[in-house]
Amino acid sequence: MSRWEPDARGRLAQAALDLYQERGFEQTTVAEIAERAGLTERTFFRYFADKREVIFGGQARLEEIYTNAIASAPASATPLDAVMVALEATIPVFQGRHKIVRQRQAVIAANPGLQERELLKGTLLTSTIADALRSRGVPDLAANIAAEVGAIAFKISFDRWVSEPDEQDLSRLFRASLDQLKGIVAGT
């Protein structure tokens, strides 16, 4: 593959995930990733700070989606409704990428250090949601509870989506989790 082919970032990411699955995350070098993608190490570092960034890049994009969606929610929206709108706004980031997301999750599941990083990422994203709610004037406790509950509902939906070999409708899975949550809260 020639170096000037399009989508260098995508080629590097796919090469990295393939190698992480074949050899393990720790055993894979940046040089091997670049070689597999038909690029140089220098090109790799133009797109990624390190080999973990291949897996965890995109956090800023999710934070931006959460913050903008919560800020744009109607003034009449409850804190939990604003969170649900924000979480649903991230679904297009994942839809159509089921195979690569499954591959990413398999790499994370095979490496305790990456599992820890994934948990940290989740915590930081939940904090972003709570901060966005506080910016709307939601009190701290309500903001924290709504952010945590929303994150749990999304995580359950996301885990169900990833566990299926064929891509399901993530939005439908998320709404089903929300319906369950509402039933639990209502006591039905």
Side-chain angles (χ1 to χ4, degrees), residues 96-118:
R97 299 182 63 234
H98 186 254
K99 181 182 174 195
I100 200 164
V101 172
R102 279 178 55 91
Q103 191 175 14
R104 175 192 179 275
Q105 292 306 112
V107 169
I108 291 169
N111 185 292
L114 296 178
Q115 292 170 26
E116 183 177 337
R117 175 85 181 261
E118 179 81 339

Side-chain angles (χ1 to χ4, degrees), residues 49-120:
D50 59 30
K51 63 184 195 173
R52 284 179 195 257
E53 190 65 22
V54 172
I55 295 173
F56 296 106
Q59 182 168 340
R61 181 176 178 200
L62 293 176
E63 289 174 350
E64 181 180 346
I65 292 169
Y66 292 152
T67 302
N68 290 339
I70 289 171
S72 300
S76 61
T78 67
L80 190 55
D81 287 340
V83 169
M84 297 311 161
V85 166
L87 292 168
E88 188 130 20
T90 66
I91 290 174
V93 172
F94 303 105
Q95 288 294 154
R97 299 182 63 234
H98 186 254
K99 181 182 174 195
I100 200 164
V101 172
R102 279 178 55 91
Q103 191 175 14
R104 175 192 179 275
Q105 292 306 112
V107 169
I108 291 169
N111 185 292
L114 296 178
Q115 292 170 26
E116 183 177 337
R117 175 85 181 261
E118 179 81 339
L119 290 171
L120 177 60

Side-chain angles (χ1 to χ4, degrees), residues 128-155:
T128 297
I129 294 169
D131 290 344
L133 289 170
R134 281 190 278 278
S135 293
R136 286 176 57 98
V138 176
D140 282 344
L141 182 59
N144 290 334
I145 290 171
E148 291 289 343
V149 168
I152 290 168
F154 190 84
K155 182 183 182 316

